[in-house]
Amino acid sequence: MSALTGVVGLVLGFFGVPSIVTPPTARTVTNTVTATATVTVTATPPAPGATADDGPSPGATARTADDVPLTDIEPLGSGYGNLVRQPVTMGGKRFDNAIVGESLGYFESLTYSINEHYKSLTVTVGLDDDSPAYPATVSFKSGGGEGKTLKSATAQINRPVEVTVDLTGVALLKIVAESEDGGPTVGIGNPVLHRN
């Protein structure tokens, strides 16, 4: 039937007679594409012992992936075993990441194997605010035994000092705290090893 309608329309159109039959219309086909995106958000966990609301402790330096807290490395051994990892307050500032020598005797030390992986160490050295005010010396040495002294700092009450130690080529790092008077509490705050 539609072929006949088309022929009649052609003949009528040839003779100038308007076509009564409307030709079939083409339909437009539209494809619908739906896309779904997934976003993953990863939160950085707080440092050990901290809560999500805690900010860095005063004196803390900004850390990158190349920075490692010295307190994250287990020491090889200690001399007289009185240097421990615990918070300390020096000059009114609290250092949550610290190595402390309480009631320091004549000589205390810790040795770390760092295997020449780091270029420097940054720390804050001082006496705990509740310590007897006898000064102490904190030395950073390379190698075992007496070793070579890389840097020394005097720990004083209410006057913490920032120290940077060059560790280029150092495989064993020894930290020595000593006092001639005995009894002060020495703090080594925010000790951070840097690869660059």
Side-chain angles (χ1 to χ4, degrees):
M1 176 85 178
S2 88
L4 180 62
T5 305
V7 171
V8 171
L10 183 62
V11 170
L12 290 175
F14 181 74
F15 291 109
V17 179
S19 173
I20 301 172
V21 180
T22 55
T25 58
R27 289 189 286 178
T28 305
V29 177
T30 305
N31 287 334
T32 303
V33 178
T34 304
T36 303
T38 303
V39 177
T40 303
V41 177
T42 304
T44 304
T51 65
D53 296 331
D54 289 345
S57 64
T61 56
R63 293 188 190 141
T64 67
D66 291 331
D67 298 341
V68 176
L70 183 62
T71 53
D72 285 359
I73 298 174
E74 195 63 35
L76 293 176
S78 60
Y80 303 106
N82 196 24
L83 292 177
V84 295
R85 291 177 279 191
Q86 68 182 40
V88 66
T89 301
M90 300 181 292
K93 297 177 184 176
R94 181 178 166 91
F95 296 84
D96 291 324
N97 176 25
I99 299 169
V100 178
E102 291 183 332
S103 301
L104 188 67
Y106 174 71
F107 174 90
E108 304 289 342
S109 70
L110 285 175
T111 302
Y112 296 89
S113 178
I114 58 171
N115 300 333
E116 300 182 12
H117 293 310
Y118 305 97
K119 294 200 174 181
S120 65
L121 168 72
T122 54
V123 300
T124 301
V125 173
L127 294 181
D128 181 87
D129 285 355
D130 294 327
S131 169
Y134 300 119
T137 301
V138 177
S139 300
F140 302 89
K141 301 183 177 197
S142 67
E146 288 298 312
K148 173 187 171 189
T149 300
L150 304 169
K151 182 86 84 150
S152 289
T154 301
Q156 298 180 49
I157 198 77
N158 298 321
R159 289 181 184 81
V161 293
E162 293 184 17
V163 177
T164 300
V165 183
D166 182 2
L167 297 179
T168 305
V170 175
L172 288 174
L173 172 65
K174 186 174 188 178
I175 300 175
V176 179
E178 51 195 327
S179 173
E180 293 180 10
D181 298 304
T185 298
V186 175
I188 300 165
N190 293 329
V192 178
L193 297 162
H194 307 277
R195 292 186 198 275
N196 294 320

